[in-house]
Amino acid sequence: MQSIDDPLEVKTQVEEYTPGSEADFERLYRNTYRRILGTLITLVRDRAVAEDCTQETYERAFRRWKDWRPESSAEAWLHRIAINVAISDHRHQRLRQAGELVRRLGRPAPGPDPAALAERSDLVQALKKLPTKQAAALVLRHFHGYSNREIAAALAIPEQTVASRLAAARKQLQAVLGR
Amino acid sequence: MSDIERELESELHRILDPVSAMSTIPLRRQPMRRGALRTVLGGAGAALSLKLLSGVAVAAAAVTVAGAATTGSINPVTWGQQVSEHVAECKAKLADGQHGIGDCVSSFANQHGQAVASEARHHGQGNGNGNENSNGSGSSNAHGNNSNANPHAKDKKSQKDPGASTDQEPTDPPIESSVNIPPQR
């Protein structure tokens, strides 16, 4: 019986899933939920949105579950979907912010969410300001421990693109943080 | 690994390790099946259509069976034609001054009724009584209830005059009896 508390242990274990099997998808959900949520927390504005995006990720994945190919990593496939969900959320958020700005003209903006403040740090705030694809590359590399090659496979992009995204992200972080 | 990378890694772990260690995983949100509503409506609609079609089919079958039981033929036109022809014959047989074809039609109806009696009884007493009643109706019609069907209708209007009808009634005993018999209903 595996321990799903240790991300590395989950990552190193070879999990086999059958495409289209609802029971296997449920197992995949239990095995990967925390890691997908962790990725999304760094990509979207707060934890509540991250949880919603995580559920959206699994909804999208479930719709395409029968088309998933067992040759590729299921978790990497989920990460790709999660990053797309985060990008969609950013677009929607920009639209929402424009609408809210119009609505609250002349009124003071509401204060920050206390729950969100606890998770804030300058670095993570800078990370959230990066383009989503760059931030995702950083999280996959420095939190989940993927290699550039694995990130490339997960996102279906060339390995060189991963390297350039990581380099651009680091450069921007240094600029934002003044280091 | 640069300083920024080390700092990034430690900060990510500080924030995300509690997430990885959380004990409960929420239930997976069930996707709304796109065809669910359509399936429900389609199912209900299909069931309703099936019931309607079944009802129509049963009603049609009942009419066909009842008609066949009454006429001896599945074709409902057959019995109608036979009756029409026989009524015409009965009218032609009437002597001048005679009125009423009830007996004549009744005998034909009885013959037909006996021919299909077993089937008619099989489908209920009501059909048998219907034949009986039709005999009575035939007599009544012959006495003017249906002025369109009877060429003597004008005469019958005059027969309603008590003074005019008394001379003719004794010459036609069956009419007299049918007139005096109150309707069974």
Side-chain angles (χ1 to χ4, degrees):
Chain A
M1 185 70 182
Q2 66 167 355
S3 162
I4 56 176
D5 289 337
D6 183 353
L8 288 175
E9 191 176 341
V10 174
K11 185 171 178 290
T12 52
Q13 266 194 330
V14 179
E15 286 283 345
E16 291 186 356
Y17 304 103
T18 305
S21 164
E22 192 157 353
D24 279 8
F25 190 83
E26 194 62 35
R27 190 160 51 91
L28 174 68
Y29 173 78
R30 280 186 274 106
N31 288 343
T32 58
Y33 176 86
R34 294 180 179 96
R35 292 163 63 79
I36 298 296
L37 175 63
T39 300
L40 284 166
I41 281 175
T42 61
L43 301 182
V44 298
R45 64 186 180 281
D46 58 45
R47 182 165 177 148
V49 174
E51 288 174 350
D52 190 53
C53 285
T54 305
Q55 293 294 340
E56 172 69 19
T57 297
Y58 285 99
E59 278 189 30
R60 288 192 194 183
F62 185 70
R63 284 201 289 269
R64 288 182 277 170
W65 178 228
K66 63 177 183 301
D67 300 324
W68 171 71
R69 291 172 176 273
E71 298 84 44
S72 62
S73 159
E75 188 180 317
W77 175 66
L78 285 171
H79 265 113
R80 185 164 63 201
I81 296 172
I83 292 164
N84 288 332
V85 169
I87 291 170
S88 300
D89 180 73
H90 277 201
R91 290 187 186 129
H92 291 150
Q93 191 189 357
R94 279 199 292 272
L95 289 173
R96 278 196 298 268
Q97 283 173 340
E100 285 170 9
L101 184 66
V102 170
R103 276 200 300 276
R104 67 167 189 247
L105 276 175
R107 281 185 287 169
D113 181 6
L117 279 176
E119 290 181 352
R120 278 185 184 176
S121 73
D122 290 344
L123 187 63
V124 173
Q125 287 310 303
L127 191 65
K128 288 178 191 267
K129 287 177 183 169
L130 290 177
T132 306
K133 288 177 180 176
Q134 289 183 15
L138 278 178
V139 173
L140 291 174
R141 181 81 173 84
H142 295 291
F143 177 68
H144 292 302
Y146 283 102
S147 66
N148 285 12
R149 182 173 295 178
E150 287 171 324
I151 295 171
L155 305 183
I157 53 175
E159 201 173 332
Q160 281 189 333
T161 306
V162 176
S164 64
R165 281 183 188 176
L166 285 171
R170 284 181 201 123
K171 190 176 177 182
Q172 192 166 339
L173 277 182
Q174 283 176 319
V176 168
L177 298 172
R179 295 168 195 174
Chain B
M1 185 182 280
S2 64
D3 289 343
I4 187 78
E5 288 174 333
R6 269 193 292 273
E7 189 180 347
L8 178 64
E9 199 166 306
S10 65
E11 197 66 13
L12 285 172
H13 280 286
R14 183 184 73 78
I15 293 173
L16 298 180
D17 280 351
V19 175
S20 300
M22 66 184 199
S23 56
T24 56
I25 295 177
L27 289 173
R28 184 165 62 88
R29 195 162 69 197
Q30 294 298 318
M32 183 71 176
R33 292 174 195 272
R34 287 185 176 177
L37 186 61
R38 188 183 301 171
T39 304
V40 169
L41 290 177
L48 187 61
S49 301
L50 187 63
K51 285 179 181 176
L52 282 172
L53 286 174
S54 301
V56 169
V58 168
V63 168
T64 303
V65 168
T70 306
T71 65
S73 169
I74 289 179
N75 185 0
V77 177
T78 305
W79 170 238
Q81 286 175 343
Q82 288 178 353
V83 171
S84 298
E85 289 170 4
H86 201 80
V87 167
E89 287 176 13
C90 290
K91 286 176 183 173
K93 286 178 185 174
L94 282 175
D96 288 341
Q98 271 192 315
H99 299 282
I101 57 174
D103 280 352
C104 180
V105 174
S106 174
S107 64
F108 172 73
N110 281 333
Q111 287 172 5
H112 179 78
Q114 287 168 2
V116 297
S118 61
E119 195 171 1
R121 285 192 197 100
H122 181 71
H123 289 284
Q125 191 64 27
N127 286 338
N129 289 340
N131 286 341
E132 297 286 338
N133 290 337
S134 70
N135 295 341
S137 297
S139 299
S140 297
N141 286 339
H143 286 283
N145 287 342
N146 184 353
S147 59
N148 291 333
N150 193 337
H152 299 286
K154 290 180 181 177
D155 293 340
K156 293 202 187 83
K157 284 183 182 175
S158 64
Q159 284 173 10
K160 288 183 179 176
D161 183 358
S165 63
T166 49
D167 293 338
Q168 294 177 357
E169 283 182 353
T171 62
D172 193 0
I175 292 174
E176 185 180 13
S177 63
S178 68
V179 168
N180 292 333
I181 293 172
Q184 293 180 353
R185 290 180 184 178

